[in-house]
């Protein structure tokens, strides 16, 4: 592990590195407001019948009568103050609307990430132990299928089988509405609602992790130190757990980090299928309501979240692999 | 002769061969949709919510439209969006990758930073945002997907340029006084195209899924029938007419699976060294 000081400066450098990206996103949103057909004010407040006084207030707040560079400056400073605009549909600031939905999305995404990591690793290790055997081929076929199925259709089919046909699990929402549950029962209720959406969301990532883990394990198995471990007479379990796994894990960690963006994509679709009240569902509703400020705000917030998770993943990488030293370059 | 050799090697991968035939079937279905469809896909007036039966092999929807005909027409949109969007990505990615790899230095740094940004941002959200605000025409959808999915191509092409630009035949071409653009187009690019094509074939599958996702959220072209739109319509009615969800999804899964296997097959032929075993 590198020294604390260098880790700190590394984090700082990475955050600085991300700033231009966030600025690009803000400038992009601004450009979109002006490129969209119709009056920019429509993009700023969404397509609702807003009172005239409100429209005028927005016009002056964003300086729509001033030159473009002044408008851009106003737009950026507003966002830096944490003001992502106002959702006229929800009658709340956009930031508040989004922040309210974040916990639900995390409740769906975190279990999905953990499950896909764990299942992917185990299946990948199992698959790599006897390459091209029956079990390996079965797992590889499953992985290919999981990678190709459209995630929202998979969600619909899971719902069809387990909720509609078998009646085992609830099909919509995050908990049973109107039921006053406490303690363990409330937890079990939440869990039963979580199961299908989390499964639908994670299958694709299980598939990706299996493929990476399998090839990574196979690659490591040809290394000299594994031959050495074998010739020392270590048993297979120790070789896999102590010598192969730590080295094979690294590419998987990278892929899980890169996948975070796709996970957000998946959660929009899965939340729409299962009526899960998170960011994804919010996006779907905002599309239907033409609530543009919320759409732009969500894009900005998810970009920030993706940048932060990538940073966290890199730190895990640093912790896992002491060889990696984050130098100046 | 070269094509025949390619085909012989490609056929060694059975799964890829079968998926190639599958893709051919999908392409024919798309081309022949107006003649193969038993009903006009937009025509109302059959009985609504008929389960699959003879006469309506995939049943009918809430307005009495024949699902089989609608799935057939949906094939056209999915294939067209997939191929055109991937072609757009291929062109942009090749351009960025070539310039980046050939020029090096500051230009390379700048372009690769841009590529990294496009890779990092949640692209689906960006596509949603653009289509929601700019309008939902099919051309816009193709361009949006194409303009967002080029980074992998750019990286692959750049890597090829870095490998080849110091090779003897390129140095010879430079010594002969060829101009930069001549070297790029006639000497290096032909070597960079094959791996880009492999990535491009996977992009077709991804573009199909992306378009379906957009349509599923109500951002498809309202003038056209697409599989995502069919699945979106099916969502509210899945409790009592599941066939509306099953068939379009099956068709899409099969097509995406075939394209991915086909891409694997091409990869085996073009990059034999990368193959395990």
């Amino acid at each position: 592990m590198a020294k604390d000081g260098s880790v700190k400066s590394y984090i700082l450098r990475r955050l600085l590195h991300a700033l231009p990206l966030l600025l690009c996103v803000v400038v992009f949103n601004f450009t979109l407001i002006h490129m969209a057909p119709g009056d920019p004010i429509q993009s700023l407040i969404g397509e609702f019948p807003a009172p005239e006084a409100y429209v005028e207030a927005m016009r002056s707040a964003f300086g729509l009568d001033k030159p473009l560079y002044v408008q851009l400056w106003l737009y950026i400073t507003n966002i830096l103050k944490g003001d992502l605009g106002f959702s006229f549909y929800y009658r709340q600031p956009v930031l508040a609307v989004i922040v309210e939905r974040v916990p639900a999305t995390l409740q769906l995404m975190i279990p999905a990430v953990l499950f896909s990591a764990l299942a992917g690793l185990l299946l990948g290790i199992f698959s790599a132990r006897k390459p091209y055997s029956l079990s390996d081929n079965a797992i590889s076929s499953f992985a290919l299928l999981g990678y190709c199925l459209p995630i929202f259709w998979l969600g619909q089919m899971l719902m069809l089988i387990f909720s509609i046909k078998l009646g085992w699990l609830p099909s919509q929402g995050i908990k049973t509405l109107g039921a006053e549950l406490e303690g363990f029962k409330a937890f079990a209720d939440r869990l039963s609602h979580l199961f299908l959406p989390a499964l639908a969301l994670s299958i694709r990532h299980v598939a990706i992790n299996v493929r990476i883990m399998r090839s990574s394990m196979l690659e490591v198995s040809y290394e000299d130190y594994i031959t050495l471990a074998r010739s020392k007479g270590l048993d297979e379990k120790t070789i896999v757990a102590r010598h192969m796994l730590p080295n094979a894990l690294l590419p998987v960690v990278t892929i899980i980090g890169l996948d975070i963006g796709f996970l957000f994509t998946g959660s929009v679709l899965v939340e729409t299928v299962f009526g899960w009240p998170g960011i994804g569902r919010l996006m779907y509703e905002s599309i239907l309501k033409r609530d543009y400020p919320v759409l732009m705000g969500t894009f900005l917030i998810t970009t920030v979240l993706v940048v932060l998770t990538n940073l966290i993943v890199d730190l895990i990488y640093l912790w896992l692999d002491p060889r990696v030293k984050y130098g100046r370059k | 002769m070269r094509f025949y050799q390619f085909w012989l090697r490609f056929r060694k991968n059975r799964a890829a061969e079968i998926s190639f035939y599958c893709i051919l079937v999908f392409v024919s279905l798309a081309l022949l949709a107006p003649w193969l469809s038993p009903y006009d896909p937009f025509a109302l007036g059959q009985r609504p919510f008929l389960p699959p039966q003879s006469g309506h092999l995939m049943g009918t929807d809430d307005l009495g439209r024949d699902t089989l005909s609608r799935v057939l027409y949906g094939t056209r949109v999915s294939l067209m969006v997939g191929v055109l969007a991937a072609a757009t990505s291929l062109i942009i990615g090749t351009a960025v990758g070539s310039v980046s790899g050939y020029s090096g230095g500051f230009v390379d740094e700048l372009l690769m930073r841009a590529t990294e940004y496009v890779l990092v941002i949640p692209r689906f959200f960006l596509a949603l945002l653009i289509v929601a605000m700019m309008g939902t025409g099919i051309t816009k959808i193709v361009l949006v997907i194409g303009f967002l999915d080029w980074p992998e191509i750019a990286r692959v092409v750049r890597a090829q340029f870095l490998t080849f630009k110091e090779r003897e035949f390129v140095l010879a071409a430079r010594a002969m006084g060829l101009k930069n653009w001549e070297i790029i187009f006639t000497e290096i690019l032909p070597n960079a195209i094959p791996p880009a094509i492999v990535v491009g074939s996977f992009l077709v599958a991804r573009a199909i899924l992306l378009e379906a996702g957009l349509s599923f959220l109500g951002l498809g072209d309202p003038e056209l029938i697409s599989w995502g739109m069919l699945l979106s319509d099916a969502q509210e009615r899945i409790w009592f007419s599941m066939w509306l969800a099953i068939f379009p999804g099956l068709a899409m899964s099969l097509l995406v699976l075939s394209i991915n296997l086909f891409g694997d097959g091409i990869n085996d032929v073009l990059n034999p060294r990368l193959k395990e075993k």
Side-chain angles (χ1 to χ4, degrees):
Chain A
M1 183 90 187
K3 276 181 203 153
D4 273 4
S6 67
V7 173
K8 252 183 220 157
S9 75
Y10 171 70
I11 296 177
L12 212 68
R13 263 207 317 281
R14 279 290 306 268
L15 288 177
L16 279 177
H17 188 87
L19 275 182
L21 171 64
L22 296 179
L23 188 68
C24 282
V25 169
V26 172
V27 173
F28 179 84
N29 278 354
F30 177 80
T31 319
L32 208 56
I33 291 172
H34 287 269
M35 295 254 298
D39 193 339
I41 194 75
Q42 222 66 63
S43 310
L44 284 169
I45 59 177
E47 285 178 10
F48 312 108
E52 200 53 35
Y54 177 70
V55 174
E56 281 315 308
M58 289 297 283
R59 260 187 213 285
S60 68
F62 284 94
L64 287 188
D65 47 349
K66 302 200 175 78
L68 267 183
Y69 63 90
V70 179
Q71 291 186 30
L72 178 61
W73 178 245
L74 277 173
Y75 188 76
I76 293 175
T77 45
N78 275 337
I79 283 175
L80 283 182
K81 280 186 230 150
D83 178 7
L84 299 183
F86 189 83
S87 164
F88 207 73
Y89 177 74
Y90 292 100
R91 299 191 182 265
Q92 266 184 29
V94 167
L95 191 62
V97 176
I98 297 172
V99 167
E100 202 179 306
R101 301 289 192 111
V102 168
T105 293
L106 291 183
Q107 262 182 58
L108 178 61
M109 273 175 65
I110 292 175
V113 171
L114 293 180
F115 174 74
S116 65
L118 195 69
L121 292 188
L122 290 179
L123 288 175
I125 294 170
F126 186 70
S127 207
R129 282 187 59 186
K130 283 180 190 157
Y132 305 103
S133 64
L134 186 67
S135 58
D136 175 39
N137 283 337
I139 292 173
S140 296
S141 315
F142 156 79
L144 181 68
L145 209 62
Y147 184 76
C148 292
L149 294 181
I151 199 164
F152 50 98
W153 185 66
L154 179 68
Q156 287 181 328
M157 291 301 109
L158 287 174
M159 191 162 100
L160 194 61
I161 297 168
F162 293 103
S163 307
I164 300 177
K165 285 290 149 190
L166 297 172
W168 289 354
L169 291 162
S171 66
Q172 294 285 306
I174 194 169
K175 59 178 183 184
T176 310
L177 290 176
E180 303 262 330
L181 298 169
E182 273 178 23
F184 178 73
K185 275 192 173 166
F187 178 72
D189 179 56
R190 291 243 170 186
L191 209 60
S192 68
H193 279 83
L194 174 67
F195 193 77
L196 289 181
L199 189 63
L201 186 56
S202 48
I203 294 271
R204 182 191 156 88
H205 303 277
V206 173
I208 294 172
N209 293 344
V210 167
R211 289 173 106 171
I212 304 290
M213 190 64 198
R214 177 180 179 276
S215 65
S216 175
M217 284 293 277
L218 283 179
E219 207 164 287
V220 171
S221 70
Y222 296 122
E223 296 278 352
D224 290 342
Y225 54 81
I226 299 298
T227 319
L228 177 68
R230 279 226 171 83
S231 58
K232 280 201 306 194
L234 291 179
D235 64 307
E236 201 58 30
K237 261 186 201 152
T238 319
I239 294 178
V240 170
R242 285 278 181 77
H243 296 269
M244 286 170 78
L245 195 57
N247 294 295
L249 263 179
L250 296 171
V252 185
V253 173
T254 315
I255 291 294
I256 292 176
L258 284 176
D259 263 3
I260 297 294
F262 278 109
L263 211 62
F264 273 107
T265 303
S267 75
V268 182
L269 297 165
V270 168
E271 286 180 15
T272 306
V273 171
F274 288 97
W276 191 268
I279 295 182
R281 182 81 199 173
L282 175 68
M283 276 212 112
Y284 178 60
E285 285 162 6
S286 305
I287 291 168
L288 293 180
K289 306 283 191 289
R290 302 265 171 246
D291 197 347
Y292 302 126
V294 173
L295 287 179
M296 285 186 281
T298 318
F299 175 49
L300 185 61
I301 298 278
T302 42
T303 311
V304 173
L305 289 177
V306 168
V307 168
L308 287 180
T309 15
N310 273 322
L311 179 62
I312 293 170
V313 168
D314 278 0
L315 291 175
I316 295 177
Y317 202 104
L318 179 82
W319 175 67
L320 276 176
D321 189 356
R323 284 172 307 185
V324 181
K325 290 253 164 58
Y326 291 100
R328 295 252 156 242
K329 183 80 180 148
Chain B
M1 191 57 198
R2 274 188 73 194
F3 178 77
Y4 185 66
Q5 281 172 342
F6 183 92
W7 174 241
L8 281 184
R9 273 202 258 165
F10 178 79
R11 274 188 52 181
K12 280 193 190 146
N13 183 339
R14 284 288 290 167
E17 191 193 355
I18 295 170
S19 55
F20 173 68
Y21 295 132
C22 256
I23 294 171
L24 275 189
V25 170
F26 272 108
V27 171
S28 334
L29 289 179
L31 291 175
L32 300 174
W35 295 277
L36 291 175
S37 302
Y39 298 89
D40 178 351
F42 294 99
L44 316 173
Q46 308 296 320
R47 281 190 41 214
F49 296 124
L50 283 177
Q53 52 189 261
S54 68
H56 294 284
L57 290 177
M58 295 184 185
T60 61
D61 69 1
D62 54 321
L63 297 173
R65 295 172 296 195
D66 180 53
T67 310
L68 173 61
S69 311
R70 292 173 74 74
V71 170
L72 281 173
Y73 272 83
T75 315
R76 305 186 125 190
V77 173
S78 283
L79 271 177
M80 190 174 74
V81 171
V83 171
L84 292 181
T88 314
S89 303
L90 198 62
I91 293 170
I92 300 170
T94 309
V96 173
S98 313
V99 173
S100 192
Y102 190 76
S103 49
F106 176 70
V107 178
D108 183 33
E109 183 107 341
L110 196 73
L111 286 175
M112 280 302 109
R113 185 63 67 84
T115 309
E116 193 191 317
Y117 282 177
V118 180
L119 263 180
V120 170
I121 50 167
R123 278 177 273 176
F124 185 68
F125 279 44
L126 184 54
L128 273 182
L129 182 62
I130 299 174
V131 176
M133 290 186 70
M134 304 295 288
T136 53
I138 191 82
T139 326
K140 278 177 202 153
I141 293 173
V142 166
L143 288 178
V144 166
I145 298 177
F147 269 84
L148 287 177
D149 224 1
W150 53 264
E152 279 101 336
I153 304 254
R155 289 191 162 181
V156 168
V157 172
R158 174 176 174 271
Q160 292 295 100
F161 266 79
L162 289 181
T163 326
F164 282 104
K165 77 174 176 187
E166 301 300 334
R167 292 281 268 280
E168 285 84 355
F169 67 93
V170 175
L171 296 179
R174 196 167 291 147
M176 280 160 61
L178 262 68
K179 294 190 181 65
N180 277 336
W181 64 268
E182 284 172 321
I183 296 176
I184 290 180
F185 277 99
T186 60
E187 302 294 328
I188 308 182
L189 205 53
N191 294 299
I193 290 292
I197 294 277
V198 173
V199 179
S201 66
F202 295 119
L203 290 190
V204 175
R206 218 153 73 188
I208 289 174
L209 288 177
L210 245 166
E211 187 278 332
L214 288 174
S215 300
F216 183 70
L217 296 176
L219 292 174
D221 190 328
E223 308 273 314
L224 298 166
I225 298 168
S226 78
W227 289 338
M229 180 201 272
L230 294 180
L231 288 174
S232 168
D233 289 346
Q235 171 71 21
E236 291 161 30
R237 306 173 176 94
I238 198 166
W239 283 90
F240 48 90
S241 51
M242 56 180 141
W243 58 89
L244 293 178
I246 292 176
F247 294 113
L250 268 184
M252 187 174 5
S253 307
L254 188 60
L255 179 57
V256 170
L257 183 67
S258 306
I259 295 173
N260 275 310
L261 286 172
F262 177 72
D264 279 340
I266 299 188
N267 194 24
D268 287 351
V269 180
L270 292 180
N271 307 319
R273 267 168 301 168
L274 290 180
K275 207 181 165 191
E276 303 169 52
K277 268 189 188 177

